[in-house]
Amino acid sequence: MNCPKCESTNIGPFSHEGVEFDFCSDCKGIWCDHGELANYVETIDDHPERTDLEKEGTLTKLTCPKCTTKTLYEMPYQKSQNLLIDKCLTCSGLWLDFKELATIQKLAVNIDAKGKLERTIKRMKDKGFALK
Ligand SMILES: [Zn+2]
Ligand SMILES: [Zn+2]
């Protein structure tokens, strides 16, 4: 796998507390396969407002490191926020800068409160609690 940004081959799996993504040690970028970002920031989806935001995507010059023939699109992570992510619309993988991860984590707390509640309820039900 080559880094979509700097084309370095110094990109590889990095895992921490059960979360895994690919990290480029040259440009400090992160590639998240579908589901990995959601896992990390504990949202229900990697890109919670994707249906609207994907329509606003603009083509970049970056190639998807997984699909290799597809080009990534740039789009906001969340409506009315400046943070942009690069996304493959084929495999739903995401590319972002390492420092952007902290910003996403902050945003995720607000956007997905409902998602967290739903997951908590599901977990409680799995453990046999009856909730109405
Ligand atoms: Zn790189
Ligand atoms: Zn892809």
Side-chain angles (χ1 to χ4, degrees):
M1 174 162 151
N2 282 57
C3 173
K5 191 129 200 178
C6 69
E7 286 169 23
S8 164
T9 50
N10 293 327
I11 182 167
F14 169 85
S15 65
H16 174 68
E17 293 180 11
V19 179
E20 200 170 303
F21 38 66
D22 291 288
F23 179 65
C24 174
S25 52
D26 288 328
C27 70
K28 318 291 182 229
I30 290 175
W31 176 257
C32 304
D33 286 335
H34 182 47
E36 288 178 346
L37 184 62
N39 249 343
Y40 187 76
V41 297
E42 299 189 322
T43 49
I44 238 165
D45 195 295
D46 295 322
H47 195 196
E49 297 168 330
R50 63 164 72 220
T51 358
D52 294 330
L53 296 172
E54 283 178 356
K55 290 180 209 143
E56 296 173 26
T58 53
L59 205 57
T60 66
K61 291 191 168 70
L62 310 180
T63 304
C64 174
K66 285 282 150 96
C67 302
T68 67
T69 55
K70 301 289 177 184
T71 306
L72 303 180
Y73 286 80
E74 186 179 66
M75 64 193 73
Y77 172 70
Q78 191 193 3
K79 283 179 206 167
S80 63
Q81 291 287 349
N82 316 327
L83 180 68
L84 297 171
I85 54 171
D86 296 312
K87 180 171 187 179
C88 174
L89 297 181
T90 303
C91 67
S92 295
L94 300 171
W95 176 254
L96 44 124
D97 291 336
F98 187 72
K99 58 182 186 331
E100 290 174 345
L101 201 55
T103 313
I104 288 186
Q105 203 154 20
K106 278 186 214 132
L107 294 175
V109 171
N110 300 320
I111 49 176
D112 207 37
K114 187 169 165 273
K116 269 185 195 148
L117 182 63
E118 279 168 8
R119 276 196 314 283
T120 306
I121 290 173
K122 187 181 176 300
R123 245 168 243 162
M124 288 176 82
K125 281 183 179 161
D126 290 347
K127 288 192 184 296
F129 288 97
L131 293 173
K132 288 191 178 157

